[in-house]
Amino acid sequence: MEGVIDRVTYRDEKSMYTVARIKVGDGSIVTAVGPFPSATPGQMVKVFGIWVQHREYGRQLKVERVETVAPATLLGIEKYLGSGLIRGVGPATATKLVKQFGMDTLEVIESNPERLTQVPGIGPKKARRIIDAIAEHKSVQKVMVFLQSHGVSPAYAAKIYRRYGEDAVAVVSQNPYRLADDVYGIGFKTADKIAAEVGVDTESPHRIAAGIKYWLGKASEEGHCYSEEDKFTSSVAHELGISEHLVRGGIAALEGAGEVYREGQSALYLAPFYHAERGVARRLCQLAHARMWTLDTLSEEELAQVQARAGIRLADQQRAAVMKAFQTGVMVMTGGPGTGKTTTLRLIIDLFEARKMRVLLAAPTGRAAKRLSEATGRPARTIHRLLEFGPGEDGWRFGRGTASPLECDLLVLDEVSMVDISLMYSVLKAVRPGSRLVLVGDVDQLPSVGPGNVLRDIIGSGIVPTVVLNEVYRQAPGSMIVTNAHRINRGEFPLFRGARDFFFIEAEDPDRVVQSVVATVTSKLPRHLGCDPVDDVQVLSPMKRSAAGVDNLNAVLRDALNPRRPGVSEIRCRGSAFRRGDKVMQIRNDYDRLVWNGDMGKIVRIDAEEGEVVVRFSEPEGDRDVLYSQDELDELALSYCVSIHKSQGSEYPAVVVPVTTQHYVMLQRNLLYTAVTRARRTVVIIGTKKALAIAVRNASMLQRQTMLALRLREATAASWPDEEQIG
C-alpha cells in the first residue's frame, strides 16, 4: 500500500510502534499499525503488511516493513517539507518553495539549492542556513539509510551523525555498543539489536562489557550503589544468553580497566559510585574531626540575646541544633513539616553572620534553592551553580573542589534527601576542613532519584551529630496539611472532616478519577484559592502509566488547559506535540544548557520555520530562557502532571494526588507523605479510601544497596588513602 501519512495517532519512540492514518490514492484513509522507522505527517510511504480485523477499531494494516517514497504531488511535497524535515523549512517556507518551483521543488533543493534566493522572503542568510541544513540532511540520510535497515529511527540517526559526523557508519559497524555510552536515548538494548544486525558475535567482549555496564547502570537507576555479584552474574548471563564464565571474565576485564570495582567478595560497583561512596565517607570524617579555625563555642547569654532580638523562644531540640552547629564540623538537622527547621536555621545563620563569618546556602534544585532563599532571606544557589559547574579542558566539570574550595565558614545544604552519592561527593570535596557543614532535610521523604540513600545512611551511621526535630511548632489555625503529613508518617489515616485545606474526593472508576482531577485543576481549585490552574496547581501521580498515571493525565490536562487553537504555535517531535504556553519538565541532565533532570519551565516561543523552541526556567537568580532545536525536544516532557519522585524539593500552592488501586505497586507511605508535604495551601486526594489506606499502611521501602553507613562507622580520617588515590 502506498500513500501519505495524514496523522500519527500514537507513537512509542523506543519500540517505534506507530498507529498512523494514511491517505491512499482513492482518497480514503486507512489505519496502519506496527514499527515505523519514522512517521511524520506529509511523509510519502510504501507500507507492506497484512490486513487484520481489530474488534474495536476495525480493519487495519499490520505493518511488516515501511519504505519512504518521495512525494509525487504538489500538496504532498508541501506537506513533506513543512513537516520539519529540514531545519529552517517550516510550513510557510514550504508553501513559498512549492509556489516558486512546483514539481521541481525537491530537485532544486537536492541539486540546485543556490536557487533558493529566488523565493520571496528567502535572503542569502536564510538560504545559507537552509543549504547547510540540506548538506547535513544528506549526510544524515546516508547514516539513516544504513541505520533504518537495522531498525533505528531517523531521529536517532540525526543524533548519531552529530556525535560522530562522517565516521558514524564506521563507528556503528565496528562497535555499535559505543552508542549506549555516547548518544542519549540509545541504550544497550537498541545497540544490541544493531550489533546483531551488523553481525557482531554474541560472545564479543564489546557486547559482554557493554551488557555488564548496562545492568550495573540499571541497578543505579533504581538507587543502588552496587550489585551482589553472584545474583548479578547469573542475571546478566541469562539476559545476554551466554555462560556465567564469560560474564565473570568480562567483569575481570572491566576491573582491570578500572571501570568496575569489587568490594569484599560480592559487591560490584561502577567506578564513579565506588569512588563517590568511599570519598563521601572519607571527607565527612575529615570535616567531623577537623580543628575549626573559627570560634567553636556559643554562650547561653549570646543565644538568649539572639532569641530576644528575633522575638522567638527555642525549644530544647532547636537549642541543641544551634549548639551543635557551632561545636562540630558537620551536623545533621532533620524533621518533618512544621517542626521548626527554618526557624532554627535562620537563627544559626544570624549567629554566624553576627560573628562576621561567611555563610553560603545551597539546595539540589532551582525550586528548592528558591524556597531556601525565601525562607531565610538570604541568597541561595543550586549545588551546580555553587560549585561553578562549567566546561573545562577534559569536559564539563565543577570549578570548586579540593584545589579551589568554597570560601565560607558555614555551608548550609538543604533538601539533602534529594542528593545522590555522586553529587554529595562533589559538595564535600569543595568544603575545607575547618569550616562547618550543616545538612538539612526530611529523612522520611523519598530518597534521591540517583544512587545512594545519603541522608538516611549518614544518620544511620551514628557518626555524624544529628538533631531530630519531631515536635510540631508551625501550623496555621485550622490547617490540616501538617497534621495529616505527620499522621501519614506515623501510619495513621488522614483526617478530612472539617478541613479547609485537605480534601478527599471519592472516585472508584479510574476514568472518573481522571474526570475529577481535570475538574479540580481547571475550575474547583482556581475558584477556591483564586489561583492560576497552570502555575499554582500541580498534579502528582504515583505512577507513569495507567489511566490516572503521569502520561495520560498530562494529555487530558493539556487539552483542557492549553488546547489547540488558532494563533497558538505548535511543533511536533516524534509523535508528540508541544504548544506555546505548555508547562514542561527537563527529563535528563543537560550539561550544555545547564538544565537538570526535574527542572520545570514553560514554553514561551515556538519557531516552526526554524524548528526551535524556547523554554523559560525560573531560577533563584531570575528567569532564564533556554533554546531547543526540534530534534532535541525528547529532553522535555509535559509537566501538568509529574511523578511524586520528580516533585522532590518543590513546593506548590496546591497539589492534587490521584490514588487508585491501579497504582498498587507504588502505594507506599513515604510516597504519599512526600506528595502531601509538597503543598503550601491545599491538598486534594482523589481516588478510593481503600487505595489510600494501602499507601498509609505500607511502610516498606526498597532497601538500597549502599555501604556508606558501614564505611562511615569503620572510617577514620587517618586510615584513608590520599584524595588522588580514590578519584
Side-chain angles (χ1 to χ4, degrees):
M1 180 187 72
E2 189 170 308
V4 177
I5 296 178
D6 185 70
R7 182 160 54 94
V8 178
T9 305
Y10 173 81
R11 179 166 175 82
D12 183 327
E13 199 55 41
K14 287 185 177 179
S15 66
M16 294 181 288
Y17 180 84
T18 304
V19 179
R21 302 276 286 167
I22 299 175
K23 192 172 188 177
V24 295
D26 62 1
S28 63
I29 303 287
V30 301
T31 300
V33 298
F36 279 62
S38 65
T40 306
Q43 191 176 354
M44 194 79 177
V45 291
K46 187 179 288 186
V47 184
F48 303 84
I50 57 173
W51 291 101
V52 296
Q53 188 69 28
H54 194 280
R55 65 181 181 182
E56 185 174 351
Y57 300 112
R59 192 167 182 253
Q60 298 178 334
L61 184 64
K62 188 176 179 181
V63 174
E64 295 175 348
R65 181 164 59 91
V66 179
E67 295 177 359
T68 301
V69 180
T73 66
L74 290 176
L75 181 61
I77 294 171
E78 186 177 332
K79 217 169 175 181
Y80 178 71
L81 291 174
S83 67
L85 187 71
I86 298 170
R87 193 169 63 253
V89 180
T93 301
T95 300
K96 292 178 182 178
L97 287 167
V98 171
K99 186 177 179 180
Q100 180 74 29
F101 301 118
M103 293 299 297
D104 296 329
T105 300
L106 295 179
E107 175 64 25
V108 169
I109 290 174
E110 182 74 22
S111 304
N112 300 293
E114 64 278 358
R115 292 178 60 190
L116 292 175
T117 53
Q118 299 174 13
V119 178
I122 298 182
K125 189 175 178 181
K126 182 164 184 175
R128 174 46 54 191
R129 287 204 306 270
I130 295 174
I131 289 168
D132 291 343
I134 291 168
E136 181 182 353
H137 181 69
K138 286 180 179 177
S139 297
V140 171
Q141 280 293 101
K142 293 178 184 177
V143 179
M144 196 175 293
V145 168
F146 172 78
L147 291 177
Q148 276 189 264
S149 66
H150 301 298
V152 180
S153 75
Y156 286 147
K159 289 190 173 188
I160 292 169
Y161 176 78
R162 282 203 306 274
R163 177 64 179 83
Y164 302 119
E166 299 294 336
D167 297 328
V169 172
V171 168
V172 173
S173 300
Q174 292 164 14
N175 182 14
Y177 296 102
R178 284 182 59 182
L179 300 177
D181 293 328
D182 297 344
V183 182
Y184 172 70
I186 296 183
F188 169 78
K189 292 192 174 181
T190 301
D192 201 37
K193 287 179 182 176
I194 298 170
E197 291 279 353
V198 300
V200 175
D201 193 304
T202 57
E203 297 184 354
S204 161
H206 289 311
R207 181 173 187 255
I208 296 169
I212 291 167
K213 289 191 292 183
Y214 169 75
W215 271 286
L216 283 175
K218 290 291 286 184
S220 72
E221 290 173 7
E222 295 172 3
H224 303 301
C225 290
Y226 69 88
S227 295
E228 294 285 350
E229 184 173 6
D230 288 345
K231 186 178 178 181
F232 175 80
T233 301
S234 174
S235 175
V236 173
H238 174 75
E239 293 285 350
L240 295 180
I242 61 176
S243 71
E244 291 187 20
H245 172 74
L246 287 172
V247 176
R248 294 189 190 279
I251 292 170
L254 288 168
E255 277 191 273
E259 293 187 69
V260 169
Y261 283 79
R262 182 185 280 106
E263 185 72 25
Q265 298 299 310
S266 61
L268 290 178
Y269 285 81
L270 284 173
F273 308 133
Y274 175 79
H275 293 313
E277 198 175 78
R278 285 169 58 86
V280 167
R282 175 181 181 272
R283 296 292 297 184
L284 279 173
C285 285
Q286 283 185 334
L287 293 170
H289 296 104
R291 200 180 90 172
M292 287 157 288
W293 57 72
T294 53
L295 190 63
D296 61 356
T297 59
L298 177 68
S299 70
E300 291 288 344
E301 183 182 356
E302 188 177 3
L303 183 56
Q305 289 173 351
V306 172
Q307 290 182 77
R309 285 198 299 270
I312 60 173
R313 183 177 177 83
L314 295 179
D316 290 345
Q317 294 170 334
Q318 294 172 302
R319 284 166 48 84
V322 175
M323 289 297 187
K324 279 189 168 57
F326 276 81
Q327 295 165 354
T328 62
V330 185
M331 63 92 60
V332 173
M333 181 168 63
T334 184
T339 56
K341 292 195 301 292
T342 300
T343 298
T344 308
L345 190 57
R346 279 202 299 261
L347 208 65
I348 291 170
I349 295 168
D350 285 345
L351 284 162
F352 272 82
E353 289 181 341
R355 298 181 178 213
K356 308 300 182 185
M357 295 182 183
R358 298 161 296 179
V359 180
L360 293 176
L361 284 72
T365 67
R367 283 177 174 264
K370 195 171 183 178
R371 281 178 54 209
L372 180 60
S373 181
E374 291 168 350
T376 60
R378 277 83 166 177
R381 286 174 277 180
T382 64
I383 293 173
H384 283 82
R385 288 199 179 276
L386 177 78
L387 302 183
E388 299 176 8
F389 189 80
E393 293 181 2
D394 52 351
W396 290 89
R397 59 186 293 277
F398 289 113
R400 295 288 183 172
T402 51
S404 180
L406 294 167
E407 296 168 1
C408 67
D409 302 301
L410 169 68
L411 171 63
V412 175
L413 190 61
D414 198 16
E415 295 286 356
V416 179
S417 64
M418 296 179 63
V419 180
D420 63 32
I421 192 70
S422 299
L423 190 56
M424 179 58 76
Y425 185 33
S426 295
V427 172
L428 295 178
K429 284 192 289 186
V431 180
R432 289 180 294 184
S435 60
R436 291 171 174 85
L437 175 65
V438 174
L439 304 174
V440 184
D442 186 347
V443 75
D444 293 313
Q445 288 188 22
L446 292 167
S448 60
V449 174
N453 204 347
V454 173
L455 182 60
R456 186 172 290 277
D457 285 349
I458 291 174
I459 295 172
S461 74
I463 299 301
V464 177
T466 299
V467 177
V468 180
L469 304 180
N470 51 25
E471 199 173 326
V472 177
Y473 307 104
R474 174 188 60 79
Q475 186 171 344
S479 171
M480 293 301 293
I481 294 176
V482 173
T483 296
N484 279 332
H486 287 279
R487 286 183 65 86
I488 291 166
N489 202 32
R490 293 192 300 266
E492 300 170 5
F493 202 81
L495 301 174
F496 300 102
R497 183 172 294 178
R500 295 178 297 179
D501 60 356
F502 206 101
F503 305 98
F504 180 78
I505 300 174
E506 187 87 36
E508 186 78 33
D509 181 76
D511 291 336
R512 292 291 301 273
V513 172
V514 173
Q515 293 169 16
S516 190
V517 168
V518 173
T520 301
V521 172
T522 58
S523 59
K524 292 179 182 178
L525 277 174
R527 283 200 309 269
H528 178 67
L529 297 176
C531 66
D532 185 277
V534 176
D535 295 334
D536 299 330
V537 182
Q538 185 61 58
V539 181
L540 306 177
S541 179
M543 292 189 72
K544 186 172 175 62
R545 294 181 175 82
S546 81
V550 171
D551 291 344
N552 187 56
L553 283 173
N554 263 319
V556 296
L557 285 167
R558 195 266 294 271
D559 286 345
L561 295 167
N562 190 27
R564 182 181 295 153
R565 56 197 188 275
V568 176
S569 49
E570 184 174 297
I571 193 167
R572 300 191 70 84
C573 175
R574 302 175 200 161
S576 300
F578 292 96
R579 294 174 197 146
R580 181 168 53 82
D582 271 342
K583 187 176 176 181
V584 294
M585 174 181 281
Q586 180 79 15
I587 59 173
R588 77 170 183 102
N589 290 337
D590 189 320
Y591 301 106
D592 294 321
R593 295 183 178 84
L594 297 180
V595 288
W596 314 109
N597 188 357
D599 285 355
M600 292 177 67
K602 184 178 285 188
I603 295 177
V604 294
R605 183 172 65 84
I606 291 177
D607 188 333
E609 291 292 307
E610 297 294 332
E612 294 177 345
V613 172
V614 176
V615 179
R616 182 162 295 161
F617 292 97
S618 179
E619 299 181 350
E621 299 82 3
D623 292 346
R624 184 166 69 97
D625 289 352
V626 179
L627 180 69
Y628 295 79
S629 64
Q630 189 167 356
D631 60 358
E632 294 168 328
L633 294 179
D634 59 345
E635 295 186 15
L636 298 173
L638 295 175
S639 62
Y640 299 94
C641 175
V642 300
S643 71
I644 296 172
H645 280 86
K646 291 284 191 183
S647 73
Q648 292 179 84
S650 298
E651 266 192 359
Y652 314 95
V655 300
V656 178
V657 189
V659 180
T660 77
T661 51
Q662 281 190 314
H663 301 148
Y664 186 86
V665 296
M666 295 298 291
L667 295 178
Q668 298 168 350
R669 185 184 298 172
N670 64 339
L671 201 76
L672 183 62
Y673 173 79
T674 300
V676 167
T677 54
R678 301 307 90 206
R680 289 197 300 270
R681 297 174 61 187
T682 303
V683 173
V684 182
I685 297 175
I686 301 174
T688 65
K689 289 184 177 178
K690 178 183 178 182
L692 185 57
I694 291 170
V696 171
R697 287 196 301 265
N698 184 12
S700 65
M701 292 182 286
L702 176 67
Q703 284 297 112
R704 295 191 167 190
Q705 292 179 319
T706 77
M707 289 190 186
L708 179 60
L710 177 64
R711 295 186 194 279
L712 281 166
R713 284 192 291 268
E714 293 178 344
T716 62
S719 68
W720 284 82
D722 293 336
E723 185 81 26
E724 291 75 17
Q725 292 179 274
I726 64 169

